[in-house]
mmCIF file of all heavy atoms in Angstrom:
data_model
loop_
_atom_site.group_PDB
_atom_site.id
_atom_site.type_symbol
_atom_site.label_atom_id
_atom_site.label_comp_id
_atom_site.label_asym_id
_atom_site.label_seq_id
_atom_site.Cartn_x
_atom_site.Cartn_y
_atom_site.Cartn_z
ATOM 1 N N GLU A 141 -3.954 -12.552 18.834
ATOM 2 C CA GLU A 141 -4.943 -13.546 19.243
ATOM 3 C C GLU A 141 -6.122 -13.542 18.270
ATOM 4 O O GLU A 141 -6.540 -14.594 17.771
ATOM 5 C CB GLU A 141 -5.417 -13.220 20.665
ATOM 6 C CG GLU A 141 -6.134 -14.368 21.325
ATOM 7 C CD GLU A 141 -6.717 -13.961 22.674
ATOM 8 O OE1 GLU A 141 -6.115 -13.094 23.353
ATOM 9 O OE2 GLU A 141 -7.781 -14.504 23.022
ATOM 10 N N PHE A 142 -6.648 -12.357 17.994
ATOM 11 C CA PHE A 142 -7.750 -12.262 17.037
ATOM 12 C C PHE A 142 -7.313 -12.789 15.672
ATOM 13 O O PHE A 142 -8.039 -13.511 15.000
ATOM 14 C CB PHE A 142 -8.244 -10.811 16.909
ATOM 15 C CG PHE A 142 -9.353 -10.676 15.903
ATOM 16 C CD1 PHE A 142 -10.660 -11.005 16.241
ATOM 17 C CD2 PHE A 142 -9.082 -10.272 14.604
ATOM 18 C CE1 PHE A 142 -11.681 -10.925 15.298
ATOM 19 C CE2 PHE A 142 -10.106 -10.186 13.660
ATOM 20 C CZ PHE A 142 -11.400 -10.501 14.007
ATOM 21 N N THR A 143 -6.100 -12.423 15.278
ATOM 22 C CA THR A 143 -5.624 -12.786 13.946
ATOM 23 C C THR A 143 -5.461 -14.300 13.818
ATOM 24 O O THR A 143 -5.813 -14.889 12.790
ATOM 25 C CB THR A 143 -4.309 -12.053 13.636
ATOM 26 O OG1 THR A 143 -4.530 -10.652 13.823
ATOM 27 C CG2 THR A 143 -3.857 -12.293 12.204
ATOM 28 N N ARG A 144 -4.964 -14.943 14.882
ATOM 29 C CA ARG A 144 -4.840 -16.417 14.834
ATOM 30 C C ARG A 144 -6.207 -17.064 14.682
ATOM 31 O O ARG A 144 -6.380 -18.024 13.936
ATOM 32 C CB ARG A 144 -4.105 -16.938 16.068
ATOM 33 C CG ARG A 144 -2.579 -17.001 15.841
ATOM 34 C CD ARG A 144 -1.877 -17.783 16.928
ATOM 35 N NE ARG A 144 -1.970 -17.090 18.208
ATOM 36 C CZ ARG A 144 -1.103 -16.165 18.617
ATOM 37 N NH1 ARG A 144 -0.071 -15.842 17.857
ATOM 38 N NH2 ARG A 144 -1.262 -15.573 19.780
ATOM 39 N N LYS A 145 -7.205 -16.523 15.376
ATOM 40 C CA LYS A 145 -8.573 -17.049 15.221
ATOM 41 C C LYS A 145 -9.047 -16.897 13.777
ATOM 42 O O LYS A 145 -9.680 -17.787 13.218
ATOM 43 C CB LYS A 145 -9.549 -16.295 16.144
ATOM 44 C CG LYS A 145 -9.568 -16.831 17.555
ATOM 45 C CD LYS A 145 -10.758 -16.243 18.327
ATOM 46 C CE LYS A 145 -10.457 -16.216 19.822
ATOM 47 N NZ LYS A 145 -10.963 -15.026 20.498
ATOM 48 N N GLN A 146 -8.732 -15.734 13.189
ATOM 49 C CA GLN A 146 -9.123 -15.525 11.790
ATOM 50 C C GLN A 146 -8.479 -16.559 10.868
ATOM 51 O O GLN A 146 -9.131 -17.081 9.969
ATOM 52 C CB GLN A 146 -8.654 -14.141 11.340
ATOM 53 C CG GLN A 146 -9.714 -13.087 11.363
ATOM 54 C CD GLN A 146 -9.196 -11.853 10.645
ATOM 55 O OE1 GLN A 146 -8.181 -11.275 11.036
ATOM 56 N NE2 GLN A 146 -9.886 -11.446 9.590
ATOM 57 N N PHE A 147 -7.194 -16.810 11.099
ATOM 58 C CA PHE A 147 -6.502 -17.817 10.286
ATOM 59 C C PHE A 147 -7.184 -19.176 10.412
ATOM 60 O O PHE A 147 -7.424 -19.857 9.413
ATOM 61 C CB PHE A 147 -5.024 -17.909 10.689
ATOM 62 C CG PHE A 147 -4.128 -17.019 9.878
ATOM 63 C CD1 PHE A 147 -3.895 -15.703 10.260
ATOM 64 C CD2 PHE A 147 -3.518 -17.492 8.724
ATOM 65 C CE1 PHE A 147 -3.077 -14.877 9.501
ATOM 66 C CE2 PHE A 147 -2.698 -16.669 7.965
ATOM 67 C CZ PHE A 147 -2.477 -15.361 8.359
ATOM 68 N N ASN A 148 -7.515 -19.566 11.662
ATOM 69 C CA ASN A 148 -8.166 -20.872 11.861
ATOM 70 C C ASN A 148 -9.505 -20.928 11.147
ATOM 71 O O ASN A 148 -9.834 -21.905 10.483
ATOM 72 C CB ASN A 148 -8.368 -21.149 13.360
ATOM 73 C CG ASN A 148 -7.037 -21.391 14.047
ATOM 74 O OD1 ASN A 148 -6.056 -21.763 13.395
ATOM 75 N ND2 ASN A 148 -6.985 -21.178 15.356
ATOM 76 N N GLN A 149 -10.280 -19.851 11.304
ATOM 77 C CA GLN A 149 -11.587 -19.835 10.666
ATOM 78 C C GLN A 149 -11.437 -19.903 9.139
ATOM 79 O O GLN A 149 -12.167 -20.631 8.473
ATOM 80 C CB GLN A 149 -12.363 -18.574 11.055
ATOM 81 C CG GLN A 149 -13.770 -18.577 10.488
ATOM 82 C CD GLN A 149 -14.553 -17.329 10.844
ATOM 83 O OE1 GLN A 149 -13.990 -16.251 11.022
ATOM 84 N NE2 GLN A 149 -15.866 -17.486 10.955
ATOM 85 N N PHE A 150 -10.477 -19.146 8.625
ATOM 86 C CA PHE A 150 -10.290 -19.147 7.172
ATOM 87 C C PHE A 150 -9.891 -20.538 6.685
ATOM 88 O O PHE A 150 -10.415 -21.036 5.687
ATOM 89 C CB PHE A 150 -9.235 -18.116 6.757
ATOM 90 C CG PHE A 150 -9.086 -18.004 5.270
ATOM 91 C CD1 PHE A 150 -9.943 -17.207 4.535
ATOM 92 C CD2 PHE A 150 -8.101 -18.713 4.592
ATOM 93 C CE1 PHE A 150 -9.830 -17.112 3.148
ATOM 94 C CE2 PHE A 150 -7.980 -18.635 3.215
ATOM 95 C CZ PHE A 150 -8.846 -17.828 2.497
ATOM 96 N N ASP A 151 -8.970 -21.179 7.404
ATOM 97 C CA ASP A 151 -8.534 -22.524 7.005
ATOM 98 C C ASP A 151 -9.724 -23.485 6.967
ATOM 99 O O ASP A 151 -9.865 -24.282 6.036
ATOM 100 C CB ASP A 151 -7.466 -23.044 7.974
ATOM 101 C CG ASP A 151 -6.094 -22.423 7.705
ATOM 102 O OD1 ASP A 151 -5.903 -21.854 6.605
ATOM 103 O OD2 ASP A 151 -5.225 -22.489 8.590
ATOM 104 N N GLN A 152 -10.579 -23.392 7.990
ATOM 105 C CA GLN A 152 -11.751 -24.291 8.020
ATOM 106 C C GLN A 152 -12.678 -24.032 6.841
ATOM 107 O O GLN A 152 -13.140 -24.971 6.190
ATOM 108 C CB GLN A 152 -12.532 -24.092 9.322
ATOM 109 C CG GLN A 152 -11.928 -24.855 10.491
ATOM 110 C CD GLN A 152 -12.587 -24.456 11.808
ATOM 111 O OE1 GLN A 152 -13.697 -23.916 11.812
ATOM 112 N NE2 GLN A 152 -11.903 -24.714 12.907
ATOM 113 N N LEU A 153 -12.949 -22.753 6.571
ATOM 114 C CA LEU A 153 -13.850 -22.431 5.469
ATOM 115 C C LEU A 153 -13.241 -22.862 4.134
ATOM 116 O O LEU A 153 -13.931 -23.383 3.263
ATOM 117 C CB LEU A 153 -14.155 -20.932 5.459
ATOM 118 C CG LEU A 153 -15.038 -20.454 6.609
ATOM 119 C CD1 LEU A 153 -15.004 -18.938 6.732
ATOM 120 C CD2 LEU A 153 -16.479 -20.939 6.424
ATOM 121 N N ALA A 154 -11.950 -22.667 4.008
ATOM 122 C CA ALA A 154 -11.276 -23.060 2.761
ATOM 123 C C ALA A 154 -11.392 -24.569 2.561
ATOM 124 O O ALA A 154 -11.682 -25.036 1.450
ATOM 125 C CB ALA A 154 -9.816 -22.635 2.804
ATOM 126 N N GLN A 155 -11.210 -25.318 3.646
ATOM 127 C CA GLN A 155 -11.320 -26.779 3.528
ATOM 128 C C GLN A 155 -12.744 -27.211 3.200
ATOM 129 O O GLN A 155 -12.953 -28.159 2.457
ATOM 130 C CB GLN A 155 -10.823 -27.449 4.816
ATOM 131 C CG GLN A 155 -9.300 -27.591 4.796
ATOM 132 C CD GLN A 155 -8.688 -27.600 6.184
ATOM 133 O OE1 GLN A 155 -9.397 -27.555 7.187
ATOM 134 N NE2 GLN A 155 -7.374 -27.664 6.250
ATOM 135 N N SER A 156 -13.721 -26.477 3.738
ATOM 136 C CA SER A 156 -15.116 -26.858 3.508
ATOM 137 C C SER A 156 -15.519 -26.678 2.039
ATOM 138 O O SER A 156 -16.497 -27.254 1.584
ATOM 139 C CB SER A 156 -16.049 -26.047 4.403
ATOM 140 O OG SER A 156 -16.195 -24.736 3.879
ATOM 141 N N LEU A 157 -14.759 -25.860 1.322
ATOM 142 C CA LEU A 157 -15.095 -25.622 -0.083
ATOM 143 C C LEU A 157 -14.981 -26.865 -0.944
ATOM 144 O O LEU A 157 -15.616 -26.964 -1.991
ATOM 145 C CB LEU A 157 -14.143 -24.552 -0.658
ATOM 146 C CG LEU A 157 -14.822 -23.310 -1.196
ATOM 147 C CD1 LEU A 157 -15.498 -22.577 -0.062
ATOM 148 C CD2 LEU A 157 -13.793 -22.406 -1.859
ATOM 149 N N GLN A 158 -14.168 -27.800 -0.496
ATOM 150 C CA GLN A 158 -13.949 -28.999 -1.301
ATOM 151 C C GLN A 158 -15.225 -29.815 -1.497
ATOM 152 O O GLN A 158 -15.327 -30.585 -2.443
ATOM 153 C CB GLN A 158 -12.853 -29.853 -0.658
ATOM 154 C CG GLN A 158 -11.466 -29.328 -1.023
ATOM 155 C CD GLN A 158 -10.445 -29.545 0.084
ATOM 156 O OE1 GLN A 158 -10.716 -30.285 1.029
ATOM 157 N NE2 GLN A 158 -9.306 -28.904 -0.023
ATOM 158 N N THR A 159 -16.205 -29.643 -0.610
ATOM 159 C CA THR A 159 -17.447 -30.411 -0.740
ATOM 160 C C THR A 159 -18.406 -29.767 -1.740
ATOM 161 O O THR A 159 -19.428 -30.339 -2.066
ATOM 162 C CB THR A 159 -18.156 -30.530 0.626
ATOM 163 O OG1 THR A 159 -18.453 -29.215 1.075
ATOM 164 C CG2 THR A 159 -17.280 -31.240 1.650
ATOM 165 N N HIS A 160 -18.093 -28.561 -2.213
ATOM 166 C CA HIS A 160 -18.987 -27.887 -3.151
ATOM 167 C C HIS A 160 -18.597 -28.174 -4.601
ATOM 168 O O HIS A 160 -17.427 -28.336 -4.916
ATOM 169 C CB HIS A 160 -18.972 -26.375 -2.923
ATOM 170 C CG HIS A 160 -19.830 -25.951 -1.792
ATOM 171 N ND1 HIS A 160 -21.127 -25.548 -1.947
ATOM 172 C CD2 HIS A 160 -19.577 -25.890 -0.464
ATOM 173 C CE1 HIS A 160 -21.637 -25.250 -0.764
ATOM 174 N NE2 HIS A 160 -20.716 -25.443 0.148
ATOM 175 N N LYS A 161 -19.602 -28.190 -5.447
ATOM 176 C CA LYS A 161 -19.354 -28.390 -6.881
ATOM 177 C C LYS A 161 -18.993 -27.030 -7.495
ATOM 178 O O LYS A 161 -19.796 -26.105 -7.487
ATOM 179 C CB LYS A 161 -20.625 -28.945 -7.525
ATOM 180 C CG LYS A 161 -20.529 -29.162 -9.018
ATOM 181 C CD LYS A 161 -21.805 -29.849 -9.506
ATOM 182 C CE LYS A 161 -21.953 -29.726 -11.014
ATOM 183 N NZ LYS A 161 -22.279 -28.356 -11.442
ATOM 184 N N LEU A 162 -17.769 -26.903 -7.941
ATOM 185 C CA LEU A 162 -17.320 -25.615 -8.473
ATOM 186 C C LEU A 162 -16.818 -25.793 -9.900
ATOM 187 O O LEU A 162 -16.318 -26.854 -10.257
ATOM 188 C CB LEU A 162 -16.183 -25.057 -7.595
ATOM 189 C CG LEU A 162 -16.558 -24.822 -6.118
ATOM 190 C CD1 LEU A 162 -15.306 -24.637 -5.282
ATOM 191 C CD2 LEU A 162 -17.449 -23.614 -5.995
ATOM 192 N N HIS A 163 -16.997 -24.759 -10.692
ATOM 193 C CA HIS A 163 -16.579 -24.844 -12.101
ATOM 194 C C HIS A 163 -15.111 -24.488 -12.227
ATOM 195 O O HIS A 163 -14.734 -23.567 -12.925
ATOM 196 C CB HIS A 163 -17.415 -23.888 -12.953
ATOM 197 C CG HIS A 163 -18.869 -24.086 -12.771
ATOM 198 N ND1 HIS A 163 -19.580 -25.076 -13.390
ATOM 199 C CD2 HIS A 163 -19.763 -23.439 -11.982
ATOM 200 C CE1 HIS A 163 -20.837 -25.029 -13.023
ATOM 201 N NE2 HIS A 163 -20.979 -24.048 -12.162
ATOM 202 N N THR A 164 -14.284 -25.204 -11.547
ATOM 203 C CA THR A 164 -12.864 -24.876 -11.542
ATOM 204 C C THR A 164 -12.086 -26.042 -10.951
ATOM 205 O O THR A 164 -12.643 -26.872 -10.253
ATOM 206 C CB THR A 164 -12.608 -23.614 -10.683
ATOM 207 O OG1 THR A 164 -11.239 -23.305 -10.749
ATOM 208 C CG2 THR A 164 -12.971 -23.849 -9.229
ATOM 209 N N ASN A 165 -10.822 -26.109 -11.243
ATOM 210 C CA ASN A 165 -10.038 -27.152 -10.577
ATOM 211 C C ASN A 165 -8.960 -26.594 -9.653
ATOM 212 O O ASN A 165 -8.539 -27.244 -8.733
ATOM 213 C CB ASN A 165 -9.429 -28.139 -11.574
ATOM 214 C CG ASN A 165 -9.110 -27.477 -12.883
ATOM 215 O OD1 ASN A 165 -8.829 -26.280 -12.907
ATOM 216 N ND2 ASN A 165 -9.166 -28.226 -13.973
ATOM 217 N N LYS A 166 -8.579 -25.348 -9.880
ATOM 218 C CA LYS A 166 -7.572 -24.791 -8.974
ATOM 219 C C LYS A 166 -8.081 -23.480 -8.369
ATOM 220 O O LYS A 166 -8.559 -22.603 -9.085
ATOM 221 C CB LYS A 166 -6.274 -24.512 -9.738
ATOM 222 C CG LYS A 166 -5.217 -23.858 -8.854
ATOM 223 C CD LYS A 166 -3.898 -23.736 -9.569
ATOM 224 C CE LYS A 166 -2.864 -22.864 -8.873
ATOM 225 N NZ LYS A 166 -2.940 -22.630 -7.463
ATOM 226 N N LEU A 167 -7.999 -23.378 -7.071
ATOM 227 C CA LEU A 167 -8.424 -22.146 -6.412
ATOM 228 C C LEU A 167 -7.257 -21.523 -5.665
ATOM 229 O O LEU A 167 -6.434 -22.226 -5.080
ATOM 230 C CB LEU A 167 -9.527 -22.440 -5.384
ATOM 231 C CG LEU A 167 -10.921 -22.799 -5.880
ATOM 232 C CD1 LEU A 167 -11.838 -23.029 -4.695
ATOM 233 C CD2 LEU A 167 -11.482 -21.678 -6.760
ATOM 234 N N PHE A 168 -7.218 -20.213 -5.701
ATOM 235 C CA PHE A 168 -6.296 -19.491 -4.825
ATOM 236 C C PHE A 168 -6.987 -19.236 -3.494
ATOM 237 O O PHE A 168 -8.157 -18.824 -3.462
ATOM 238 C CB PHE A 168 -5.915 -18.142 -5.438
ATOM 239 C CG PHE A 168 -4.924 -18.238 -6.547
ATOM 240 C CD1 PHE A 168 -5.273 -17.910 -7.846
ATOM 241 C CD2 PHE A 168 -3.620 -18.659 -6.296
ATOM 242 C CE1 PHE A 168 -4.345 -17.990 -8.880
ATOM 243 C CE2 PHE A 168 -2.688 -18.735 -7.321
ATOM 244 C CZ PHE A 168 -3.056 -18.406 -8.616
ATOM 245 N N PHE A 169 -6.270 -19.455 -2.411
ATOM 246 C CA PHE A 169 -6.762 -19.114 -1.074
ATOM 247 C C PHE A 169 -5.822 -18.077 -0.489
ATOM 248 O O PHE A 169 -4.612 -18.311 -0.427
ATOM 249 C CB PHE A 169 -6.795 -20.361 -0.186
ATOM 250 C CG PHE A 169 -7.807 -21.375 -0.626
ATOM 251 C CD1 PHE A 169 -7.413 -22.509 -1.324
ATOM 252 C CD2 PHE A 169 -9.149 -21.183 -0.359
ATOM 253 C CE1 PHE A 169 -8.352 -23.433 -1.755
ATOM 254 C CE2 PHE A 169 -10.095 -22.110 -0.776
ATOM 255 C CZ PHE A 169 -9.696 -23.242 -1.481
ATOM 256 N N HIS A 170 -6.359 -16.947 -0.094
ATOM 257 C CA HIS A 170 -5.462 -15.876 0.353
ATOM 258 C C HIS A 170 -6.069 -15.042 1.465
ATOM 259 O O HIS A 170 -7.257 -14.736 1.456
ATOM 260 C CB HIS A 170 -5.059 -14.989 -0.825
ATOM 261 C CG HIS A 170 -6.200 -14.482 -1.662
ATOM 262 N ND1 HIS A 170 -6.634 -13.182 -1.609
ATOM 263 C CD2 HIS A 170 -6.976 -15.104 -2.575
ATOM 264 C CE1 HIS A 170 -7.641 -13.033 -2.476
ATOM 265 N NE2 HIS A 170 -7.872 -14.175 -3.056
ATOM 266 N N LEU A 171 -5.220 -14.698 2.405
ATOM 267 C CA LEU A 171 -5.655 -13.996 3.601
ATOM 268 C C LEU A 171 -4.640 -12.932 4.016
ATOM 269 O O LEU A 171 -4.997 -11.903 4.556
ATOM 270 C CB LEU A 171 -5.807 -15.050 4.723
ATOM 271 C CG LEU A 171 -6.182 -14.618 6.117
ATOM 272 C CD1 LEU A 171 -7.524 -13.892 6.105
ATOM 273 C CD2 LEU A 171 -6.269 -15.827 7.032
ATOM 274 N N SER A 172 -3.358 -13.176 3.748
ATOM 275 C CA SER A 172 -2.311 -12.368 4.370
ATOM 276 C C SER A 172 -1.945 -11.102 3.622
ATOM 277 O O SER A 172 -1.637 -11.137 2.429
ATOM 278 C CB SER A 172 -1.030 -13.198 4.517
ATOM 279 O OG SER A 172 -1.170 -14.080 5.591
ATOM 280 N N ASN A 173 -1.933 -10.007 4.344
ATOM 281 C CA ASN A 173 -1.201 -8.811 3.962
ATOM 282 C C ASN A 173 0.236 -8.990 4.483
ATOM 283 O O ASN A 173 0.598 -10.091 4.922
ATOM 284 C CB ASN A 173 -1.885 -7.568 4.551
ATOM 285 C CG ASN A 173 -2.106 -7.696 6.053
ATOM 286 O OD1 ASN A 173 -1.633 -8.650 6.694
ATOM 287 N ND2 ASN A 173 -2.833 -6.751 6.629
ATOM 288 N N SER A 174 1.023 -7.930 4.504
ATOM 289 C CA SER A 174 2.427 -8.069 4.936
ATOM 290 C C SER A 174 2.534 -8.647 6.338
ATOM 291 O O SER A 174 3.271 -9.607 6.573
ATOM 292 C CB SER A 174 3.132 -6.709 4.912
ATOM 293 O OG SER A 174 3.124 -6.161 3.620
ATOM 294 N N ALA A 175 1.813 -8.072 7.279
ATOM 295 C CA ALA A 175 1.938 -8.512 8.680
ATOM 296 C C ALA A 175 1.492 -9.961 8.813
ATOM 297 O O ALA A 175 2.098 -10.744 9.554
ATOM 298 C CB ALA A 175 1.123 -7.608 9.598
ATOM 299 N N GLY A 176 0.462 -10.342 8.086
ATOM 300 C CA GLY A 176 -0.031 -11.713 8.147
ATOM 301 C C GLY A 176 0.997 -12.703 7.632
ATOM 302 O O GLY A 176 1.203 -13.762 8.210
ATOM 303 N N LEU A 177 1.661 -12.334 6.565
ATOM 304 C CA LEU A 177 2.598 -13.300 5.981
ATOM 305 C C LEU A 177 3.904 -13.360 6.763
ATOM 306 O O LEU A 177 4.564 -14.393 6.795
ATOM 307 C CB LEU A 177 2.794 -13.001 4.489
ATOM 308 C CG LEU A 177 3.999 -12.287 3.931
ATOM 309 C CD1 LEU A 177 5.119 -13.285 3.685
ATOM 310 C CD2 LEU A 177 3.620 -11.658 2.616
ATOM 311 N N LEU A 178 4.237 -12.297 7.465
ATOM 312 C CA LEU A 178 5.468 -12.317 8.255
ATOM 313 C C LEU A 178 5.290 -13.124 9.543
ATOM 314 O O LEU A 178 6.199 -13.823 9.972
ATOM 315 C CB LEU A 178 5.888 -10.883 8.609
ATOM 316 C CG LEU A 178 6.439 -10.058 7.448
ATOM 317 C CD1 LEU A 178 6.545 -8.584 7.827
ATOM 318 C CD2 LEU A 178 7.806 -10.585 7.021
ATOM 319 N N ASP A 179 4.135 -13.044 10.152
ATOM 320 C CA ASP A 179 4.022 -13.530 11.535
ATOM 321 C C ASP A 179 3.062 -14.697 11.770
ATOM 322 O O ASP A 179 2.912 -15.112 12.907
ATOM 323 C CB ASP A 179 3.586 -12.368 12.444
ATOM 324 C CG ASP A 179 4.748 -11.858 13.287
ATOM 325 O OD1 ASP A 179 5.880 -12.313 13.048
ATOM 326 O OD2 ASP A 179 4.524 -11.028 14.182
#
Side-chain angles (χ1 to χ4, degrees):
E141 196 186 328
F142 178 80
T143 306
R144 270 192 293 273
K145 277 192 207 142
Q146 261 191 301
F147 268 88
N148 291 337
Q149 184 181 30
F150 185 83
D151 282 343
Q152 278 171 20
L153 290 166
Q155 277 152 3
S156 77
L157 239 65
Q158 279 148 12
T159 60
H160 279 266
K161 178 174 163 289
L162 300 165
H163 307 280
T164 182
N165 31 29
K166 177 173 169 23
L167 288 181
F168 284 114
F169 293 102
H170 51 106
L171 177 59
S172 283
N173 53 7
S174 300
L177 102 85
L178 288 168
D179 255 8

